[in-house]
Structure formats: C-alpha cells, structure tokens
Amino acid sequence: MKVVALAGGVGGARLAHGLARCLPEGDLMVIVNTGDDFEHLGLAICPDLDTVCYTLAEIASPVTGWGRADESWKALETIARLGGPDWFRLGDRDLGWHLERTRRLQSGQPLSQVTRDFCQALGVAVDITPMSDDKVRTWVYTDVGELPFQEYFVRRRCEPRVQGFRFEGAEHSRPAPGIMEALGQADCVIICPSNPWVSVAPILAVPGLRAAAAEQRVVAVSPLIGGQAVKGPAAKMYTELGIDPSALAVARHYGDLLVGFVLDHVDAAQAPDVNALGVQSLVTDALMRDEADRQRLAQEVLDFAQTLAGSAIF
Ligand code: FO1
C-alpha cells in the first residue's frame, strides 16, 4: 500500500501525521513544499519541512502548529534587544536545528539528505523529502509590489492584496532523489489540506512531478471548510484573485489531476458539482481538531482511495 502525500504547512503536516499512523513503515513518502524557504539571520530556514518533521516527531508546538513545543525565546529576545530582525520568531530549540542544517548545507550536503538524517535522529521512520534539492522561492505579487513569501506571510501578516504568484527557480529544478520512483510505484497520491496556491502549487511546479502524480490516482482533501481556511490565507487569496472561496473552487483548481476529492459535511451541497467535474467525492468530517481526528480522516481518505477507479489496490 504505497502512498505519496504532498504537503505544505500545518494542515498538510497534520494529515501526514494521520497517514503515518495508518500505514506500515516504509509505505509513506511525504513530499514537502520548499517554496517558503528563505535565508534569515544567515540561516537556511525551511518552515514547511520543519513543520512536517516536528509534527510527525510529535514535538511541534500545539499552539501554533509550527515551531517546537516546550520552546524558549532567549536568542530572539537578545536579537530584539540589539535591534536585529525579530519579526520571524525562531525559538532556541528551533535555532539549533537551523544552525546544524545550515552547516551541513554549506558543507555540500543536499537538503534531502540533511532532512533524512534529521528525521532519523528524531526517530521519524516516514520518508519526508523536500520537493527538490534545488532552490525554489515563492514570490507573491501584491498591491504593494512583489514580496518574498515570508515577507508577505509573516512580516506583513498576509495583509497586502494578492495578485498572483511566482515560483522562482522552479522551471530548472529537479525532483529530489527518490521522488519519481516513489510516484511511479504509488498506489495513490494524496494532496493534503494545504494551501493550493502557495503550498501545493510549488510542488506541482517542479518539472515532471505533476505529470508523474497524474499517472496515479490522486485524491485531494479540501483545505477550505465552509468557505474558510482552517488556518492561513487560502480563502483570502481565492477572494483576492476573483474566485469565490469554496471546496468546489479547490476541486476545480486541481482540475483533471484528481480522481477523488474529500470535502466537509458543511459543504455537502457542493458534492454534485464536484462529481460533475468527473471527480468522485467523499463527504466527511474534514476538520482535524486533535490527533484522533488526524488518524480518522487519514483512514477515511485511504479507504476512499481504495474504492476509486474500480480495481482493488491495497
Ligand atoms: N509563522 C508566523 O506566522 N510567524 C512566525 O514568526 C513564524 C516563525 C516560524 C519559525 C519557524 C518555522 O518553521 C515556521 C515559522 N512560521 C511562522 C510558520 C511559517 O512561516 C508558515 O506557516 C509557513 O511558511 C506557511 O506554511
């Protein structure tokens, strides 16, 4: 039962955590967005990769979903006191992770190798990989100009109006080692409930990746419930780009990539329109309030994938 999941930030990490609990060791690869990565205080920061690693290691902050639980902020306080940039909150434990990653990257190790080693050190058996070892950077076109992703997301709190996105470097990037093989052998590909514009789109922009995923049965879980994102600016982005934010809009967004789509009970009225796209729908409780919800939703998604397109796959 080989499964490949595509994930961005907190919502994606939570479903990936549920999938990891449902599947036997070795059956899950999580491909993570690195378009959000940036250099800050001289360090290589990979927010989505870290959110997925920390969540699967069960050491993520339960409050924010990103960063570490049991965190302290002495280094950041010192930086602030000295007048340095403190808008991006890096905790002390988290800083150690970035320092060591930066050292390894500077010594020439690829990000995929560093990530694998870190996961092993944390006891995470799941294969978590960056989408690419090559540098891809998300830029956001807004009414105040073009902004690097974290500048838009954290520093300006997603306030500027979005006009579009650019994934710098994507066109020349290559999928990280093992990704194409895993996609080729996958029984299904699950697009986690991550932001379609800035978490999933950069992954699909890595040349070859979308086409390889499309060869398999792809099931997406809606990150929008009742027209709102559980977390983050996805709904705001749809609105600012002139699209009514809804689960149906997400299904349309992924278009012919999908064979299945999972949406919440509150959006059940949209299921016939999803089906009319040629995509089978599953209406369920798509909100992950706690760890039990993650596992329940993951199992439902896996069971749904199994029923799709006739043949028994698991
Ligand atoms: N998100 C914030 O809204 N504010 C922060 O200060 C912040 C710090 C941060 C530090 C490490 C990390 O791994 C993630 C962090 N995030 C923060 C989350 C992150 O920037 C975004 O959630 C993602 O890039 C979007 O998926």
Side-chain angles (χ1 to χ4, degrees):
M1 187 198 308
K2 298 279 186 195
V3 176
V4 173
L6 312 186
V10 175
R14 289 180 173 162
L15 186 64
H17 186 212
L19 290 167
R21 288 201 171 171
C22 294
L23 291 164
E25 213 171 279
D27 277 10
L28 176 64
M29 171 184 269
V30 186
I31 303 176
V32 183
N33 170 42
T34 55
D36 295 12
D37 295 8
F38 74 133
E39 290 70 41
H40 186 62
L41 299 168
L43 301 174
I45 315 289
C46 308
D48 284 359
L49 259 185
D50 294 350
T51 298
V52 173
C53 291
Y54 290 162
T55 302
L56 268 67
E58 304 185 350
I59 57 170
S61 163
V63 180
T64 56
W66 50 263
R68 300 268 308 246
D70 300 322
E71 190 54 283
S72 56
W73 305 92
K74 301 288 178 214
L76 194 75
E77 283 162 23
T78 305
I79 292 166
R81 188 124 187 244
L82 296 172
D86 63 344
W87 56 271
F88 194 81
R89 297 183 55 74
L90 294 172
D92 298 330
R93 290 178 194 273
D94 198 25
L95 265 170
W97 182 273
H98 304 306
L99 281 163
E100 176 58 7
R101 173 168 49 214
T102 305
R103 186 190 71 77
R104 293 190 191 203
L105 291 174
Q106 284 175 352
S107 78
Q109 291 181 38
L111 182 60
S112 55
Q113 183 62 52
V114 177
T115 304
R116 202 167 299 128
D117 291 348
F118 280 18
C119 284
Q120 199 179 357
L122 288 179
V124 175
V126 175
D127 190 0
I128 300 172
T129 177
M131 62 197 199
S132 177
D133 281 329
D134 301 317
K135 188 166 154 178
V136 177
R137 293 292 179 266
T138 297
W139 287 80
V140 187
Y141 295 109
T142 75
D143 58 349
V144 296
E146 197 185 8
L147 300 172
F149 182 78
Q150 297 297 345
E151 200 64 46
Y152 160 80
F153 193 94
V154 174
R155 194 168 195 174
R156 292 178 179 254
R157 299 188 296 273
C158 307
E159 283 165 5
R161 284 184 68 83
V162 161
Q163 295 166 349
F165 309 96
R166 178 165 72 87
F167 309 121
E168 184 184 6
E171 64 277 27
H172 302 300
S173 68
R174 293 151 299 172
I179 285 183
M180 296 308 271
E181 294 77 3
L183 283 171
Q185 292 164 12
D187 295 305
C188 74
V189 175
I190 296 171
I191 303 181
C192 291
S194 299
N195 186 316
W197 297 103
V198 290
S199 295
V200 181
I203 301 176
L204 296 175
V206 176
L209 219 145
R210 185 185 174 106
E215 291 290 309
Q216 311 301 347
R217 62 193 72 167
V218 181
V219 176
V221 180
S222 179
L224 297 187
I225 297 179
Q228 301 201 325
V230 177
K231 201 172 189 324
K236 181 176 180 284
M237 287 175 172
Y238 275 99
T239 302
E240 289 169 0
L241 293 167
I243 303 167
D244 193 26
S246 65
L248 178 62
V250 176
R252 286 200 181 114
H253 194 137
Y254 292 129
D256 56 10
L257 188 59
L258 299 183
V259 297
F261 188 69
V262 179
L263 64 170
D264 192 82
H265 288 298
V266 302
D267 299 315
Q270 296 167 34
D273 291 333
V274 172
N275 297 337
L277 299 171
V279 177
Q280 295 189 50
S281 55
L282 172 72
V283 177
T284 186
D285 177 3
L287 191 61
M288 293 177 280
R289 299 166 200 82
D290 52 27
E291 293 195 4
D293 271 345
R294 298 176 192 181
Q295 192 166 339
R296 172 197 50 78
L297 181 60
Q299 191 59 57
E300 287 178 1
V301 174
L302 291 170
D303 292 344
F304 176 51
Q306 195 170 7
T307 65
L308 292 172
S311 61
I313 52 171
F314 303 138

